[in-house]
Amino acid sequence: MKKLTSRIDKERLLLGIAAPLLAVVAALVVTTLVILATGKNPFDAFSDMVTYGSASDSQVYILNKATTYYLAGVAVAIGFRMNLFNIGVDGQYRLAAFVAAVLGGALSAPGWIAVPLIILCAMATGALWAAVAGVLKVTRGVSEVIATIMLNSIATAIIAYLLQPGKLGELQQGGTLVSTKPLPTSSYFFTIDAGPAGELWGFIVVAVIVGVAYWFLLGRTRFGFDLRTVGQSESAAAASGVSVKKMIATSMVISGAVAGLIGMPTLLNDSHQFSNDFPAGIGFTGIAIALLGRNHPIGIALGALLWGFLERTTNHLEFQGYDKEILGVIQGVIVLCVVIAYEVVRRYGLKRQQQRVGAELAAQALAPQTKQEVAG
């Protein structure tokens, strides 16, 4: 039995490596065909992407973008591990960033007090907004997909209403931009000077801490075990004494709290205010990155880096005469290939495991008969 377990573990490792490799190869092939269809040379495009993406300023840009994308991926992954589809991450982080920006602009406290308050405010806002969908699901059976989609629209409307001159918004740049009151310089988050390459956002440290906490909470605690159990089988979790409704509501709150952090790198390290051009759609990007990373903290980090790399390099390709829509095509192809590749490998691995177990059990059943024949 030990040999069987060891063999299965080795196969799992090989299949785990085969899935992303298969996805990357398939994505490269499809992307090559797409670029060829536009009349361009795909090999020149790939070479230009690698060269431009390797530049020091591009590396800083990619890491800064990946910080935001990583937080979005973790926020979505928490729901996925519970078999919940928190599609409302986008509304949760935008509303959280807006409320935190309003608070930060009104604070006159020292930075060591103001910055933690702004971050906690964002997390609390995101958690409360996500809790609405969680409560609706456990008390009224409302699908979290429907609830969070509606909450996204409500959050957008609330921000649009409050972000008006005369309310909580102020006209900036000659009346072309409406924003909240800028944060005082004491509330800026620290940055890491990378010389001519620019400044690396210090919030990357917080993203790393969130990733470690996510790994520890879900993989090394009883709470994480219960959460994963509910995601796999609610009836089995209930039979073992786990409160399914409590776990659903709690996971939505935690997902929303992490979603509240998504806008903080931009707010505290870059814009220092919430305006009508604040980044949107990152929550939906987080869904793709969580799928890419298979809800694993390291996988999500690699997906976030890949997304930042693609955004940086394909924007550059536009100036080289390539169609600007190529970014969306490449991103969509990669996600599709990854999902298909992992599913194909999963089914193959499951089939192989069943065959191995069946062969081992058959061998054990025949062993006593063989011994009796030899003795006879």
Side-chain angles (χ1 to χ4, degrees):
M1 188 60 70
K2 287 184 178 180
K3 287 179 64 178
L4 175 62
T5 304
S6 176
R7 196 178 300 167
I8 291 175
D9 288 340
K10 288 180 181 179
E11 286 198 357
R12 283 179 178 174
L13 177 62
L14 291 175
L15 291 173
I17 297 173
L21 287 178
L22 178 61
V24 169
V25 171
L28 286 174
V29 170
V30 176
T31 303
T32 298
L33 294 175
V34 170
I35 296 177
L36 282 173
T38 64
K40 302 291 184 180
N41 188 328
F43 301 103
D44 289 343
F46 293 145
S47 176
D48 189 74
M49 288 173 67
V50 172
T51 302
Y52 186 70
S54 302
S56 57
D57 58 336
S58 293
Q59 292 174 9
V60 171
Y61 176 93
I62 291 168
L63 286 172
N64 288 339
K65 282 292 183 179
T67 299
T68 301
Y69 293 155
Y70 183 73
L71 293 170
V74 171
V76 174
I78 292 171
F80 279 168
R81 295 301 294 268
M82 263 288 297
N83 204 23
L84 293 173
F85 197 7
N86 183 9
I87 204 171
V89 168
D90 202 71
Q92 291 154 20
Y93 96 82
R94 283 179 56 80
L95 185 63
F98 173 74
V99 174
V102 172
L103 174 66
L107 287 175
S108 57
W112 62 274
I113 295 177
V115 171
L117 283 177
I118 293 171
I119 294 175
L120 289 174
C121 174
M123 294 180 68
T125 303
L128 288 172
W129 202 245
V132 175
V135 171
L136 287 174
K137 183 173 181 64
V138 299
T139 59
R140 292 291 182 267
V142 178
S143 168
E144 74 278 5
V145 175
I146 302 299
T148 50
I149 288 175
M150 296 298 100
L151 287 169
N152 279 347
S153 300
I154 295 172
T156 300
I158 291 173
I159 294 170
Y161 175 75
L162 294 177
L163 192 65
Q164 296 184 64
K167 291 185 173 62
L168 297 177
E170 300 177 353
L171 287 175
Q172 307 285 344
Q173 298 179 2
T176 61
L177 188 70
V178 182
S179 72
T180 58
K181 184 179 178 180
L183 272 62
T185 54
S186 60
S187 297
Y188 291 7
F189 209 76
F190 76 91
T191 56
I192 302 171
D193 187 10
E199 292 184 336
L200 182 64
W201 294 349
F203 216 82
I204 192 174
V205 176
V206 178
V208 171
I209 293 173
V210 169
V212 173
Y214 169 73
W215 165 80
F216 181 80
L217 182 67
L218 268 70
R220 294 294 183 272
T221 66
R222 174 58 188 269
F223 173 82
F225 176 78
D226 290 345
L227 187 146
R228 288 182 281 113
T229 302
V230 174
Q232 293 175 0
S233 174
E234 291 187 6
S235 58
S240 64
V242 178
S243 175
V244 174
K245 290 185 176 181
K246 181 180 178 181
M247 293 303 299
I248 290 174
T250 303
S251 63
M252 284 297 294
V253 168
I254 296 175
S255 178
V258 176
L261 293 172
I262 297 172
M264 293 300 97
T266 302
L267 178 65
L268 298 177
N269 277 132
D270 185 29
S271 66
H272 307 298
Q273 61 187 11
F274 187 100
S275 58
N276 50 9
D277 65 348
F278 200 82
I282 299 177
F284 300 106
T285 300
I287 296 173
I289 291 172
L291 290 172
L292 280 175
R294 304 299 292 176
N295 302 325
H296 191 279
I298 296 178
I300 295 171
L302 295 175
L305 288 170
L306 175 62
W307 227 250
F309 172 81
L310 290 175
E311 184 175 316
R312 177 69 168 179
T313 55
T314 51
N315 285 340
H316 174 69
L317 284 181
E318 185 179 348
F319 295 100
Q320 307 302 314
Y322 293 86
D323 296 327
K324 63 180 181 180
E325 291 80 12
I326 196 68
L327 171 60
V329 172
I330 293 175
Q331 289 176 337
V333 165
I334 289 175
V335 173
L336 186 61
C337 288
V338 166
V339 172
I340 293 174
Y342 271 104
E343 183 61 22
V344 169
V345 170
R346 186 190 69 83
R347 292 186 180 185
Y348 174 79
L350 183 60
K351 183 178 179 180
R352 286 286 298 166
Q353 183 176 339
Q354 290 172 343
Q355 290 174 345
R356 292 283 188 185
V357 172
E360 188 73 17
L361 292 176
Q364 291 178 2
L366 290 173
Q369 297 179 11
T370 304
K371 290 180 180 179
Q372 290 177 4
E373 291 174 357
V374 171

